[in-house]
Amino acid sequence: MDRRKFIGRTMLTAAGAGLASVLPAIAKQSRISPSDTLNVALIGCRNMGFGILQHHLSNPGVNCVALCDIDDKVLNDRSAEIFKSFNQKPELYKDFRKLLEQKDIDAVIIGTPDHWHCLITIYALQAGKDVYVEKPMANSIAECNIMVNAAKYHSNRIIQIGQQQRSGFVFQKAMDLIKGNMIGKLRRTNIWANFGYGVGQEIVPDEPVPEGIDFDMWLGPAPKRTFNQARFHGMWRMFWDYGGGLMSDWGVHLLDMGLWAKDIVNPPERVLVYGANSYHEPRSRETFDSMTVIYPKEDYVINWDMTAGVQNGPYDSSYGLAFIGDLGTLVADRSRLVIYPEWDGEGKKPKTEKYSFTEGKESHGDHVRNFIDCIKSRNKPACPPETGRAAAMHVHIPNIAARTGESMLIWDDKAGRFTNSEAANKLITPVYRDPWTLPKF
Ligand SMILES: NC(=O)c1ccc[n+]([C@@H]2O[C@H](COP(=O)([O-])OP(=O)(O)OC[C@H]3O[C@@H](n4cnc5c(N)ncnc54)[C@H](O)[C@@H]3O)[C@@H](O)[C@H]2O)c1
C-alpha cells in the first residue's frame, strides 16, 4: 500500500440499509486520521455513481476528495449533499483529466454513461488509481478487450466492475445451493427482464444545449449529435452510441448469474437471436424493446427473454432467473430465492428439499465493501474485468446480431471476430471522435 495506509475497520452499516437513515449518524462520527484514510473521487455524479460514492462514505476512513461532472447543476448539488451529509468538501472538476492529476486520490468511481467507461478507466489506471467502474464494463467488444488487457498490464491496480450481484447474499446463496447439488444437474437457466423504461422516453424536439452543460464532453468519443433531453441524463441507455438498451442494462447483471452458476468465463461461441420493436407507440429509442436470445453451451443452455414497456413476468416478478435442474428449479431475484422440487413419479415424493427465503436488500453496499477490502488486501475483487467482459460479451453479441439482422452469430474469441457475418464484424470496434483515440492495449 506504500504511501496509502488505509486500514479497514469494522463496517458501520449493513449494506442496503436505507441510506437516508444512516447518513446523519455517519456524518457525525467521521473523524478520520490521515494515516487511516482512503481518498475516493467520483466521475459522473448524477445517479448510480453517487449512490456508489455514498456507500463508500458509509465506511469509516473513506473520504470524498473530488467530484467531476460535465453538468454544473449536478456537480454543485452533489457537492452540497456531500457537505451536508458527510461534512466533506471535495474539489470540483468538469474535466476528468484534471481530476486525475490530483495526487491524493487513491481510487476513482466511474458513474458516467457506458461509452465513457473504457477511456476513463484507462486514464485512471495510467494515473495510478484503483477503479470502481459501473457496468456494463464498456459499450463495445473492442473496449472490453482493451480494458482486460490494460488490467493485465496494470496488474498492481484493483478494478471492480459494478456487477454487484456478485457480492450479494441472495445470489451467493443461490450459487452455493446450485453447486452443492440442491437442484441436481443444472441443465437450463431461463432469464427474464421486463421493464417499462426500456421503451425510452416520449419523443421531444432537439434544443440548444442548456447552460452549465459541457455537452461536447458528455459526447466525448461518440459521434457529434444535437442536444435532446430524451437522449441525455438517464435516457442515453436507449441509443447505440452510449448504451445497449435493456439488453445490456439488465442483461449484464442477470446473464452474469447464469454464467456464474457454471463458472463460465468465456464469451458465447454462438447466439440465436430475435430482436424487434413492437411497442404500440413510437418512443425516443434506437435499441430494441423485445429480445429473445438462446445461448447454447456445452451440456447447458441459457435463455434470455426481454420485453420493455411492460412490468410483469414469470413467478410474479418483472425480472429474475429460473435455474432448472434435474431435481428442482431454483428461482431467484435480488431479494428472494425459492426452490420448487421436482416430483418422483406416481408417489409424488419431492426429489429435493423445499427451500425459500426473502432477503429484501440491494447488494451495492456489499460490493463496495469488497472493493475497499481488496484495496486494503490487494486481492482480486468479486467482479474483476474478465468477469465483466464475459457478461458484457453476452449482451453485445446479441445486440450486434439484432442490429445487423443476423438470427445467428458465431464468435471466434481467439481471432476476435465473427466467422459468419462481415456486417457484424464492423460493429466490434467503435470509431472514436477527435480528439479522443481508442486506447491501445
Ligand atoms: N449497478 C447498477 O445496478 C446500476 C444501476 C444504474 C446504473 N448503472 C450504471 O451506472 C452508469 C451511470 O448510469 P446513471 O443511471 O447514473 O446515468 P446518468 O445519466 O443518470 O448519470 C451519468 C452522469 O455522468 C455524467 N457524465 C457524462 N459524461 C461525463 C464526463 N465525460 N465526465 C464527467 N461526468 C460525465 C453526466 O452528466 C451524469 O451526471 C451507467 O454505466 C449505468 O449502466 C448501474
Side-chain angles (χ1 to χ4, degrees):
M1 296 283 285
D2 51 60
R3 70 191 166 80
R4 296 161 191 166
K5 293 195 190 122
F6 174 68
I7 300 163
R9 289 184 188 158
T10 313
M11 304 313 172
L12 275 185
T13 54
L19 273 173
S21 59
V22 300
L23 291 186
I26 298 287
K28 271 187 218 125
Q29 62 79 54
S30 67
R31 277 187 309 105
I32 296 157
S33 93
S35 62
D36 195 16
T37 59
L38 172 69
N39 290 339
V40 298
L42 170 63
I43 301 168
C45 305
R46 181 173 168 270
N47 177 34
M48 195 65 236
F50 193 67
I52 294 299
L53 174 66
Q54 286 176 304
H55 280 295
H56 278 80
L57 299 179
S58 300
N59 289 279
V62 183
N63 286 326
C64 173
V65 293
L67 296 175
C68 172
D69 206 287
I70 56 79
D71 183 334
D72 282 344
K73 182 164 173 10
V74 170
L75 193 56
N76 294 330
D77 287 356
R78 292 319 197 189
S79 165
E81 281 178 71
I82 292 296
F83 184 66
K84 189 166 166 234
S85 301
F86 297 96
N87 199 25
Q88 297 182 9
K89 267 195 153 176
E91 299 291 330
L92 304 184
Y93 300 90
K94 280 184 96 164
D95 185 328
F96 70 89
R97 292 167 296 186
K98 290 271 170 252
L99 175 148
L100 291 172
E101 286 170 13
Q102 194 177 312
K103 292 276 179 285
D104 63 347
I105 297 170
D106 299 307
V108 296
I109 303 159
I110 302 172
T112 62
D114 307 349
H115 67 289
W116 266 114
H117 290 181
C118 174
L119 209 46
I120 299 180
T121 298
I122 305 296
Y123 272 83
L125 292 176
Q126 285 169 346
K129 319 294 186 195
D130 293 327
V131 176
Y132 186 116
V133 56
E134 262 308 337
K135 50 49 63 176
M137 72 185 286
N139 196 36
S140 69
I141 291 175
E143 291 168 305
C144 291
N145 294 341
I146 288 166
M147 288 166 82
V148 167
N149 291 340
K152 282 186 193 144
Y153 182 80
H154 294 281
S155 58
N156 56 339
R157 299 264 64 89
I158 303 299
I159 307 171
Q160 176 86 296
I161 312 297
Q163 287 160 216
Q164 71 274 0
Q165 291 172 178
R166 286 259 166 183
S167 297
F169 180 74
V170 176
F171 283 109
Q172 284 180 350
K173 186 74 193 168
M175 295 308 143
D176 285 350
L177 292 168
I178 291 166
K179 292 173 189 182
N181 206 38
M182 268 290 270
I183 59 168
K185 183 184 168 207
L186 175 61
R187 295 165 52 191
R188 164 191 290 274
T189 297
N190 288 338
I191 309 177
W192 65 99
N194 302 332
F195 289 97
Y197 77 88
V199 292
Q201 202 173 291
E202 277 172 30
I203 295 169
V204 294
D206 287 354
E207 58 178 285
V209 178
E211 212 172 303
I213 290 171
D214 183 346
F215 187 53
D216 197 57
M217 196 61 170
W218 187 94
L219 286 170
K224 193 147 190 71
R225 206 163 175 181
T226 47
F227 183 85
N228 190 299
Q229 291 287 358
R231 292 194 293 266
F232 192 48
H233 285 333
M235 300 314 293
W236 49 263
R237 289 167 162 74
M238 268 52 85
F239 296 87
W240 297 120
D241 288 334
Y242 328 119
L246 197 48
M247 178 79 234
S248 74
D249 213 28
W250 271 85
V252 282
H253 283 306
L254 300 177
L255 286 155
D256 187 25
M257 301 297 98
L259 300 175
W260 194 9
K262 289 275 195 185
D263 293 323
I264 296 168
V265 293
N266 298 321
E269 284 170 15
R270 179 187 297 257
V271 295
L272 305 165
V273 178
Y274 163 86
N277 277 316
S278 56
Y279 190 60
H280 62 274
E281 63 182 45
R283 290 289 182 110
S284 203
R285 171 184 77 245
E286 291 170 355
T287 53
F288 297 98
D289 64 30
S290 304
M291 288 189 71
T292 299
V293 186
I294 299 171
Y295 305 86
K297 309 278 179 195
E298 209 185 311
D299 216 13
Y300 175 56
V301 62
I302 301 176
N303 183 60
W304 165 266
D305 261 311
M306 164 207 119
T307 312
V310 300
Q311 308 261 49
N312 284 318
Y315 300 95
D316 213 12
S317 183
S318 57
Y319 74 95
L321 298 102
F323 299 92
I324 300 173
D326 281 329
L327 305 182
T329 294
L330 186 155
V331 176
D333 60 27
R334 289 174 180 177
S335 58
R336 73 184 170 139
L337 187 162
V338 183
I339 291 182
Y340 299 90
E342 282 297 315
W343 294 94
D344 197 2
E346 293 293 305
K348 297 255 174 183
K349 203 166 147 257
K351 288 185 177 177
T352 190
E353 278 171 54
K354 270 191 176 170
Y355 185 93
S356 75
F357 69 85
T358 302
E359 170 71 14
K361 68 172 191 176
E362 277 283 355
S363 45
H364 296 98
D366 298 307
H367 206 47
V368 166
R369 194 171 311 146
N370 171 264
F371 179 55
I372 293 171
D373 287 346
C374 292
I375 289 175
K376 193 182 80 175
S377 66
R378 309 315 286 176
N379 287 337
K380 212 172 204 179
C383 192
E386 55 272 23
T387 307
R389 175 180 182 260
M393 297 289 277
H394 278 77
V395 303
H396 292 323
I397 291 177
N399 264 342
I400 289 174
R403 290 173 74 182
T404 52
E406 303 283 3
S407 53
M408 181 184 72
L409 276 180
I410 302 171
W411 173 253
D412 179 342
D413 201 37
K414 227 175 186 171
R417 59 191 300 279
F418 298 101
T419 58
N420 66 330
S421 169
E422 275 319 307
N425 281 326
K426 291 202 175 84
L427 295 180
I428 292 173
T429 310
V431 179
Y432 273 25
R433 184 173 61 107
D434 247 16
W436 305 102
T437 50
L438 194 68
K440 285 197 175 62
F441 270 100

